[in-house]
Every structure is written in structure tokens, then in C-alpha cells.
Amino acid sequence: MTTLPLLSGAAAASYPVTVTHTSGQTTLRAEPRRVVALGPHALDLLLSLGVQPAGYGEASHIATRDYGSPIRQIRYLGSRVTGAPINVGDRFNPNQEVLLSVKPDLIVGENYAAANYPALTRLAPTLLLHGIHSGDWQKSIVTLGRALNREEQARAVLNRHATFIRRAAQDVPAPLRGARALVVWNSGGPQRDVFTVLGPRDWTGGFFQSLGFRLTLPGSADPALSEGYRKVSSEALASLDADVVFLIASSRNTTAQARRDWQANPLAQRLNASRNGRVYVLDAQLFSRLRGPIAEELMVRELQRQWNP
């Protein structure tokens, strides 16, 4: 994984600082002290830089709509949050009254919130970042590090993570090393026989490629699927034979149900990966939504747990 050059700490410490992001340019007059994270991707990046959020926005993936109260239902990252961030509501359209009460001096979100960017900037300087494609977070953490006067920390995260991934690739079990891998989402229910194949441009597909797997792909990409590669039926899936399958339970599907559906699918059982016991069922919350350095380290640990039960 390539590290990116950063400005010197002395240069970064000089405010005002202007940074470029997906919705334009934002100028910060002073070093931010109270930062709101809109979504788990922004939270992953902030925690990686050692920044605790003053507020947090999510969507339907949490069990509360009690906006304005401290939020603790943050899967996978919650144990790393040492404070009590205020629940500001939906990450794409946060409650502006609650957000204002947090008194943020920086809001960090994703480009999905672009429609609300003008409203957000009226409350505080706002950065909206890309995060769905392979290599996105490595670029975003540079931008965020500059905004937060944490460029040295960003450099350390990039270098440490590159070493971690290199070692993780070396630790892949010998039978799986360099294997042909099929990485798919499945939302279950009425769509249990439809699979979205992920390619190298997708963040999750790129992650598996960084571990040395060779992605199995069904012809050309579908340009309508900005986050995936191509949707295929069970019949088409059976023709994409691979050494290993990483099945990601997406939407409201669960890993337990995804495993049951796969085992009950006679076409899926024809794959070499099924016959050889090399189908690994994974949670989309971890393998799709966080999309940052902490997530990738947790993903490696989850894979190692399944590889070495």
C-alpha cells in the first residue's frame, strides 16, 4: 500500500489552513477542538488520528433515535470512543438544532451528504470525503490530517498500516495464498439468489486484493453499480468458479441467515470453494461500512479467526 507525502509539521501548524475536498475548499481559522463525525467512515479516520468526536451521526444501523443524547451504539468502533459523543441524527441529514448545540468547529462526513453541504457549512467548517473506492481513505486521511494539524499522525497511520497489511498478506494460510477469490454481497430475503460481485476498484474488493487474492470477475463492470461490479444470479455465480468465496451479508441480512441461504442453494454448492469448505461469511458493517485503517485491521483479525478456528 502506497504512502502519501505530507507537509511538515511546522507548515501544518500555521492557521488559517485551506483544504480541498469533494465539495470544494474549506478554510479553518484555528485548530479544531470539537469535531463531529457523520458516519462510521469519518469516525474511523478521526479515531485513527487520535481525535475523539464531540458528536456522531448515523443512520438506521443504530438502535436509537434519541437525538441530543450521548450515543454508545457504535458497532466495532464504540469501544475506541472514550467520551460521550452527542447523537446528531442521520449522517446524511443531521438534526441541525442538535448539531448547533454541540458547537463543532469542524464537521467531517462523506460526499453522500453533498446535498446538505451548504447547510452544514453555515454551522461549522465542513469536510466531505470520498471513501467507497480502493485507496480513498489513504488520500482522505492526508486531507484530514492537514485540517486537524495532525499530519505527522497521518503519516504514521499510513506507514504503520502498510506494514500491517504486508504482514497480513504473508500470514494468509498457504492453501489460500494467491487464490482466486469471489467477493460478493448478498442482501438475503427476496434477493437471496442475487449476488453483487465486488471488483478491485471497490474498497472491499481492493482490500482482498491487497492480501494477495486474485479477484474472480464476471466480464466487464456494470457502470450503474458505483459501489459494486456486477449483479449475477445463482446460475451465473456457479460459472464463476473460485478457490475461495467471501460472502458479505449486506443490508438487513445477517451472517447466520446468509450462511443458511448459501448452504441451501444447490448452485452455490457446486463451487469448488463450497466443496472444499472455503466459504467465509462476513458482516457488511465491518467489511463494507467503516472503510478505514481501523476497519481493515479488524477485518484481518476476523479473517484470521475464521481461518484458524
Side-chain angles (χ1 to χ4, degrees):
M1 191 171 294
T2 304
T3 59
L4 299 173
L6 301 173
L7 300 178
S8 68
S14 177
Y15 284 86
V17 165
T18 299
V19 295
T20 301
H21 54 100
T22 65
S23 290
Q25 291 187 323
T26 294
T27 297
L28 295 107
R29 301 297 173 187
E31 183 175 333
R33 300 294 182 186
R34 295 183 59 77
V35 185
V36 170
L38 297 182
H41 175 60
L43 181 60
D44 188 313
L45 296 179
L46 288 170
L47 294 176
S48 296
L49 292 173
V51 176
Q52 290 291 325
Y56 180 66
E58 248 290 11
S60 59
H61 294 80
I62 57 175
T64 180
R65 295 180 62 85
D66 190 10
Y67 302 159
S69 297
I71 186 170
R72 305 187 188 282
Q73 299 90 336
I74 306 174
R75 293 184 62 193
Y76 294 106
L77 297 178
S79 63
R80 298 167 186 259
V81 176
T82 59
I86 297 301
N87 181 2
V88 300
D90 190 301
R91 59 183 171 139
F92 303 143
N93 186 22
N95 184 303
Q96 293 191 30
E97 183 178 349
V98 173
L99 190 55
L100 184 62
S101 73
V102 177
K103 299 180 180 178
D105 42 26
L106 178 62
I107 300 168
V108 183
E110 290 186 73
N111 55 301
Y112 293 126
N116 285 309
Y117 178 69
L120 293 172
T121 58
R122 287 194 288 270
L123 300 178
T126 300
L127 303 180
L128 298 184
L129 307 169
H130 276 299
I132 64 172
H133 296 133
S134 180
D136 275 354
W137 76 255
Q138 288 89 339
K139 299 172 186 175
S140 293
I141 205 167
V142 174
T143 300
L144 193 54
R146 184 160 188 253
L148 293 166
N149 189 24
R150 293 186 178 236
E151 292 184 284
E152 292 299 324
Q153 289 93 328
R155 192 199 322 262
V157 169
L158 289 168
N159 290 338
R160 183 175 63 250
H161 187 74
T163 300
F164 176 86
I165 290 295
R166 186 168 57 251
R167 289 175 177 169
Q170 295 169 350
D171 290 339
V172 171
L176 299 179
R177 206 167 297 156
R180 295 171 303 151
L182 187 59
V183 183
V184 294
W185 288 333
N186 182 258
S187 59
Q191 296 292 306
R192 61 182 174 275
D193 293 326
V194 178
F195 301 86
T196 301
V197 180
L198 304 185
R201 187 165 180 255
D202 173 79
W203 172 74
T204 308
F207 163 78
F208 282 103
Q209 202 168 54
S210 74
L211 294 181
F213 291 100
R214 294 176 291 135
L215 299 184
T216 299
L217 302 173
S220 59
D222 181 347
L225 292 175
S226 60
E227 296 182 25
Y229 186 87
R230 182 174 289 279
K231 287 187 176 180
V232 299
S233 63
S234 292
E235 289 80 4
L237 186 80
S239 69
L240 297 173
D241 216 355
D243 304 313
V244 57
V245 172
F246 297 105
L247 175 61
I248 301 171
S250 62
S251 187
R252 296 187 180 279
N253 202 5
T254 65
T255 55
Q257 186 60 53
R259 183 176 290 105
R260 286 192 292 268
D261 289 343
W262 184 272
Q263 292 170 346
N265 186 330
L267 293 170
Q269 294 308 301
R270 293 181 185 176
L271 274 67
N272 283 331
S274 294
R275 291 198 295 265
N276 294 326
R278 292 177 181 165
V279 177
Y280 302 97
V281 186
L282 308 166
D283 180 9
Q285 174 73 14
L286 177 57
F287 281 79
S288 179
R289 296 194 71 240
L290 277 62
R291 292 174 275 111
I294 295 174
E296 291 193 7
E297 294 185 12
L298 293 175
M299 289 158 69
V300 166
R301 294 190 185 111
E302 173 59 20
L303 290 172
Q304 290 173 340
R305 184 189 69 81
Q306 294 201 31
W307 288 336
N308 305 292

